[in-house]
Amino acid sequence: MLFSRMGRCSAFALLAVFLPLAPAAASDGPARIGEIAEHRDLLFPAQPERPRLAGDARVARGMGIEAWFADDVARYGHGVLGDAMEPETLIVRSGGETHEYTLGRDAVFEDLEPRIVDMDGDGAPEVIVIKAYLGEGAAVALFGVRNGALVQLAEADSIGTAFRWLNPAGVADYDGDGENELAIIRTPHIGGILIHYRWDGGRLKLERRQRGYSTHRIGSTVLALSATYDWNGDGRPDLILPRQDRSILAVVTWDGDRFVELASFPHGAQLDTPIVRTGLSGREGEFLIYGLRDGTAWALALPAP
């Protein structure tokens, strides 16, 4: 997964895919574009094979590197991603060289696909991962290749309780101060909390939080239920993600004092596929494409910049 940098904003990668069906404009809300099965190649693209690729893990590509998880182990047993096996190794391929980082026996990567970002805007890629400690639950961590080795660059505090999980949602300058924040959803299954972190030395420091959002169904291998886009054109990117029950898609911004929802779009079923930003054949602008648990596929037009 790539959070591709666009100006000061890092968001999910754009896919060069154009769909034949044209939904209504953004002001009309999401429009159904058929069934998930009709758009499976867009929502669930085929994955390349890589050495020791873990179970349901996927290969991330962007900014000139590849990253994936390897070497499944059974020492954690949480099963939040569908089984009790989790990888212990992160592999990054960069500049023709392959680098590995293997965790100690007190932790696993409770994750499926690394997220390639430029967290500090210096043009060098970093990799965001979900690291879970056997006794303290999940923590979000930042890795990178430095001086020829794959190293951990920063980490947030763990949740503090075993079998508690989190899911990264985006990287962007959400508050407009010129520096990127990392957005995550902590405990998305039991009272999801949207959190912004800032990279400060070897730590990811919590800046602000708000309850009421979820980007994962327990047992699912789908993690990318969010997108980043400047919805209201104020120069600050906003986070688009489901509310706690995942049947309402919300556009969330930070207004300087608090989190505010700029828009919300109810659905008759829960969001259950990745949210993909793309174009539509015969229509100007960009759209978010996603599927619901009832098997239907939907498109939401993004406001023009």
Side-chain angles (χ1 to χ4, degrees):
M1 181 185 301
L2 168 66
F3 292 177
S4 59
R5 188 169 180 83
M6 300 171 219
R8 292 187 303 169
C9 167
S10 295
F12 290 114
L14 299 182
L15 298 183
V17 177
F18 294 89
L19 302 181
L21 298 176
S27 59
D28 298 324
R32 181 173 171 177
I33 57 170
E35 304 295 318
I36 291 174
E38 301 172 56
H39 307 288
R40 184 162 296 278
D41 289 346
L42 170 67
L43 295 171
F44 302 100
Q47 286 290 308
E49 292 293 329
R50 291 294 181 270
R52 296 159 36 215
L53 184 66
D56 293 315
R58 296 181 286 271
V59 179
R61 288 174 286 189
M63 297 186 68
I65 72 170
E66 290 187 338
W68 67 92
F69 294 111
D71 303 337
D72 274 334
V73 294
R75 59 175 173 258
Y76 192 42
H78 187 193
V80 73
L81 301 178
D83 61 40
M85 304 296 290
E86 308 296 348
E88 65 175 359
T89 302
L90 172 65
I91 299 178
V92 172
R93 184 174 290 168
S94 173
E97 298 183 350
T98 300
H99 310 273
E100 300 188 12
Y101 187 102
T102 299
L103 296 174
R105 294 188 58 81
D106 64 335
V108 295
F109 291 112
E110 197 172 15
D111 205 349
L112 295 174
E113 184 177 353
R115 299 141 197 88
I116 299 171
V117 304
D118 182 2
M119 188 69 187
D120 56 2
D122 67 352
E126 288 85 37
V127 179
I128 294 171
V129 301
I130 308 166
K131 183 178 176 182
Y133 291 94
L134 276 58
E136 299 180 1
V140 63
L142 194 66
F143 283 76
V145 176
R146 300 293 188 269
N147 300 316
L150 179 59
V151 297
Q152 181 172 297
L153 302 172
E155 182 174 322
D157 291 337
S158 67
I159 294 174
T161 302
F163 303 148
R164 295 291 183 267
W165 188 72
L166 59 83
N167 192 14
V171 169
D173 181 11
Y174 292 111
D175 59 11
D177 68 352
E179 297 184 11
N180 282 335
E181 291 81 42
L182 164 60
I184 72 155
I185 303 298
R186 179 183 289 182
T187 59
H189 319 112
I190 52 172
I193 304 170
L194 168 59
I195 295 176
H196 285 175
Y197 288 106
R198 183 177 301 283
W199 185 7
D200 185 0
R203 302 298 300 166
L204 293 169
K205 292 189 174 181
L206 189 151
E207 288 212 314
R208 55 189 70 97
R209 66 175 77 193
Q210 174 66 47
R211 289 186 177 272
Y213 300 97
S214 178
T215 53
H216 186 252
R217 171 174 57 84
I218 194 163
S220 173
T221 59
V222 175
L223 306 188
L225 269 74
S226 58
T228 295
Y229 185 77
D230 183 3
W231 185 267
N232 59 357
D234 66 354
R236 289 200 311 268
D238 311 302
L239 192 61
I240 305 170
L241 75 172
R243 287 191 195 160
Q244 183 66 56
D245 70 355
R246 301 195 335 277
S247 67
I248 298 175
L249 187 63
V251 182
V252 181
T253 194
W254 176 255
D255 73 354
D257 297 307
R258 60 194 177 101
F259 286 105
V260 175
E261 287 192 3
L262 299 175
S264 60
F265 305 102
H267 294 76
Q270 295 175 321
L271 276 76
D272 206 45
T273 74
I275 296 175
V276 177
R277 181 174 164 186
T278 186
L280 285 168
S281 179
R283 293 292 300 270
E284 294 184 0
E286 295 178 299
F287 299 80
L288 298 183
I289 311 298
Y290 52 90
L292 308 182
R293 287 212 76 187
D294 64 4
T296 59
W298 293 74
L300 174 65
L302 295 171

